[in-house]
Amino acid sequence: MIDPKTLADRFPGDFLFGVATASFQIEGATKADGRKPSIWDAFSNMPGRVHNRDNGDIACDHYNRLDDDLDLIQSLGVQAYRFSIAWPRIIPEGTGPINEKGLDFYDRLVDGLKARNIKAFATLYHWDLPLALMGDGGWAARSTAHAFQRYTKTVINRLGDRLDAVATFNEPWCSVWLSHLYGIHAPGERNMDAALHAMHYTNLAHGLGVSAVREEYPNLPVGIVINPMHIYAGSDSAVDQEAGERAFDFHNGAFFGPIFKGEYPERLLSALGSRMPKVEADDMAIISQKLDWWGVNYYTPMRVSDDPTPGAEFPATVSAKPVNDIKTDIGWEVFPEALGDLIRTLNERYSLPDCYITENGACYNMGVENGVVDDQPRLDYISDHLAVTADLIKEGYPMKGYFAWSLMDNFEWAEGYTMRFGIVHVDYETQLRTIKKSGHWYKELAEQFPKGNHKAG
Ligand code: IFM
């Protein structure tokens, strides 16, 4: 275990330590104050989609416990809170009437953060698409990108004066590939053509969202949060190396290419371009507007080999064996070096702005014993990844902050409530919050900041 104060010495004094959550995962109150269903309400009500048929109806009941949860965040000594805004609370049908009560909730949230001197990092889309938009095709429809632009304008007009940063999307990889190709997340589609439409319209929505933010508050730092894969080829063979490049283009290039270079990767276009929707004349310019920052969500590396099956669909890869036997309770390989390799590779290939680690953390499911949650493996995971982050700062990469995923245990999507990522334990029967050992450790580190005189290294 790294001593938090020793680790703190490796970060600049203005480095931000924060905690992160997302609306659908914690809020509950899915029918309160005019909110209408999202695709995740529908998906979790369908048998066989979410473990145990868990849903977001109550979750952490954060909607009704806002002030106590803000006190909890403050008690962790952090400087920033990353949260997402639920589109179905703001424009419940996706298009049409605006729901003032939904905006009021986030007004209270942001004011509550300001009153506690905590920076507000908002994400506009963390997967809770208003269900009504599925009637037009959801993310496979161009009209959804325009609906997103109006939603963005509505939110920023109301909250933009008090936000410290805004992200358009959280993890487009998940809302595109995991949701439309692999069928694991809502809406559970398994179709490459649908996925390619979702890819382009998500990228377009991001660009339209950036324009909307800048029209309302030109000085509000705007960015996007991506979960890029650090891809290791399963062997040194030429076919596996080439498989690694294809995987890079598919998993990362599909988003980094248009956003940071104004173009889709060549390999992706030649394999799948004919199945993409029409790219209109201004689309790529809208998508590739310069960003103020970007967020990286990192948990585990991706290891791939060539898929030798004749006619295998792009990227034509299969999973290769993890090199580290240590896995978290959700089965993800622990490999902190990949975070460093990932940031180096992405900066080599794209010209990237300031970077925040907007999510990092680990799933361990130990419970409360005698009032204590001893989650030493999570503490080790976080401290090892922070050590890599400090190395990156020393090498000159513009790493500006770190948000632990997550503030508290919550609805882990298709895994329901069984998988726990919080640094605070939630008892879902009583809604009692208990700060875990990792949370106490993180507090000791975070409360060293801000410091005016820190030197990175
Ligand atoms: O819980 C999720 C979060 O919503 C997005 N990033 C990964 C986390 C862990 O799976």
Side-chain angles (χ1 to χ4, degrees):
M1 178 172 116
I2 309 176
D3 169 60
K5 297 204 172 112
T6 312
L7 186 56
D9 284 339
R10 300 197 58 206
F11 289 88
D14 60 353
F15 192 83
L16 284 185
F17 283 92
V19 286
T21 64
S23 50
F24 192 78
Q25 294 181 272
I26 64 164
E27 285 178 1
T30 50
K31 296 179 182 72
D33 295 336
R35 182 191 182 277
K36 292 221 170 141
S38 72
I39 55 173
W40 269 96
D41 295 271
F43 194 70
S44 48
N45 286 329
M46 258 177 229
R49 298 301 206 164
V50 173
H51 179 77
N52 202 30
R53 282 191 83 174
D54 289 343
N55 61 40
D57 287 0
I58 300 174
C60 306
D61 198 29
H62 170 72
Y63 192 81
N64 295 309
R65 293 164 194 264
L66 178 62
D67 284 325
D68 288 350
D69 284 343
L70 292 174
D71 288 344
L72 174 67
I73 295 168
Q74 186 177 35
S75 80
L76 289 169
V78 296
Q79 298 86 57
Y81 176 50
R82 172 174 177 251
F83 59 97
S84 80
I85 294 171
W87 187 349
R89 291 198 193 279
I90 310 295
I91 306 181
E93 313 244 1
T95 58
I98 292 164
N99 179 34
E100 288 300 321
K101 285 191 173 160
L103 286 166
D104 293 346
F105 172 72
Y106 296 103
D107 245 347
R108 292 202 302 279
L109 197 169
V110 173
D111 285 347
L113 290 172
K114 299 286 103 170
R116 291 167 179 81
N117 202 19
I118 296 168
K119 292 191 191 307
F121 275 58
T123 301
L124 290 160
Y125 186 75
H126 197 127
W127 311 346
D128 36 6
L129 184 74
L131 181 60
L133 291 178
M134 284 310 288
D136 301 320
W139 282 114
R142 192 174 174 97
S143 53
T144 299
H146 289 284
F148 177 79
Q149 183 178 29
R150 173 169 176 257
Y151 155 67
T152 299
K153 218 170 149 52
T154 309
V155 170
I156 300 303
N157 176 275
R158 181 73 170 265
L159 305 177
D161 58 335
R162 284 153 295 146
L163 294 179
D164 294 281
V166 63
T168 52
F169 280 78
N170 178 73
E171 300 184 359
W173 184 91
C174 291
S175 54
V176 172
W177 303 136
L178 197 60
S179 304
H180 293 84
L181 181 62
Y182 305 135
I184 310 287
H185 277 191
E189 187 59 80
R190 287 173 203 265
N191 181 298
M192 180 61 93
D193 296 51
L196 290 165
H197 282 64
M199 172 192 76
H200 184 62
Y201 295 140
T202 297
N203 286 329
L204 179 63
H206 156 77
L208 293 170
V210 172
S211 307
V213 171
R214 291 198 171 133
E215 274 163 33
E216 294 293 325
Y217 283 97
N219 295 325
L220 172 58
V222 57
I224 185 169
V225 169
I226 306 184
N227 57 329
M229 306 293 152
H230 188 70
I231 293 158
Y232 293 108
S235 80
D236 289 339
S237 73
V239 280
D240 283 349
Q241 294 294 319
E242 180 54 27
E245 288 303 321
R246 290 196 303 276
F248 184 95
D249 287 348
F250 186 73
H251 298 290
N252 301 330
F255 309 105
F256 282 85
I259 293 171
F260 295 109
K261 270 191 178 162
E263 62 194 27
Y264 284 101
E266 204 34 64
R267 288 188 194 85
L268 177 77
L269 282 182
S270 63
L272 298 171
S274 63
R275 295 161 71 180
M276 278 175 59
K278 183 168 169 13
V279 176
E280 306 279 349
D282 293 339
D283 286 4
M284 298 315 283
I286 293 169
I287 296 170
S288 59
Q289 293 173 75
K290 211 166 160 47
L291 297 181
D292 300 303
W293 64 280
W294 77 285
V296 55
N297 292 356
Y298 170 80
Y299 292 89
T300 190
M302 178 181 264
R303 300 183 187 276
V304 299
S305 302
D306 178 57
D307 181 354
T309 315
E313 190 164 62
F314 190 84
T317 56
V318 289
S319 299
K321 253 172 67 96
V323 301
N324 190 353
D325 288 340
I326 302 174
K327 302 214 172 72
T328 63
D329 285 350
I330 203 168
W332 298 352
E333 178 188 358
V334 176
F335 200 69
E337 297 94 295
L339 171 61
D341 292 342
L342 176 64
I343 296 298
R344 291 181 199 103
T345 306
L346 290 168
N347 277 280
E348 226 171 78
R349 295 188 179 200
Y350 304 99
S351 162
L352 298 173
D354 284 353
C355 179
Y356 292 84
I357 297 181
T358 32
E359 281 182 30
N360 176 245
C363 174
Y364 289 105
N365 297 328
M366 52 287 275
V368 184
E369 274 179 46
N370 304 319
V372 171
V373 183
D374 184 351
D375 62 340
Q376 184 68 39
R378 175 178 290 106
L379 190 165
D380 293 338
Y381 180 102
I382 293 177
S383 66
D384 288 348
H385 286 78
L386 278 168
V388 170
T389 309
D391 293 342
L392 288 166
I393 294 172
K394 195 171 176 185
E395 289 166 38
Y397 292 99
M399 312 304 291
K400 300 295 176 189
Y402 176 97
F403 291 78
W405 183 270
S406 175
L407 163 66
M408 57 186 158
D409 297 335
N410 56 51
F411 177 79
E412 178 51 27
W413 308 111
E415 306 290 345
Y417 292 99
T418 39
M419 295 295 161
R420 295 175 178 267
F421 279 83
I423 59 172
V424 174
H425 180 273
V426 177
D427 178 330
Y428 295 112
E429 296 292 313
T430 60
Q431 292 295 345
L432 183 72
R433 278 85 161 123
T434 306
I435 301 179
K436 301 179 189 180
K437 187 173 176 185
S438 61
H440 290 294
W441 178 90
Y442 193 61
K443 172 187 163 84
E444 262 196 78
L445 170 69
E447 66 191 10
Q448 308 288 315
F449 295 83
K451 277 190 174 182
N453 55 355
H454 262 249
K455 228 169 70 172

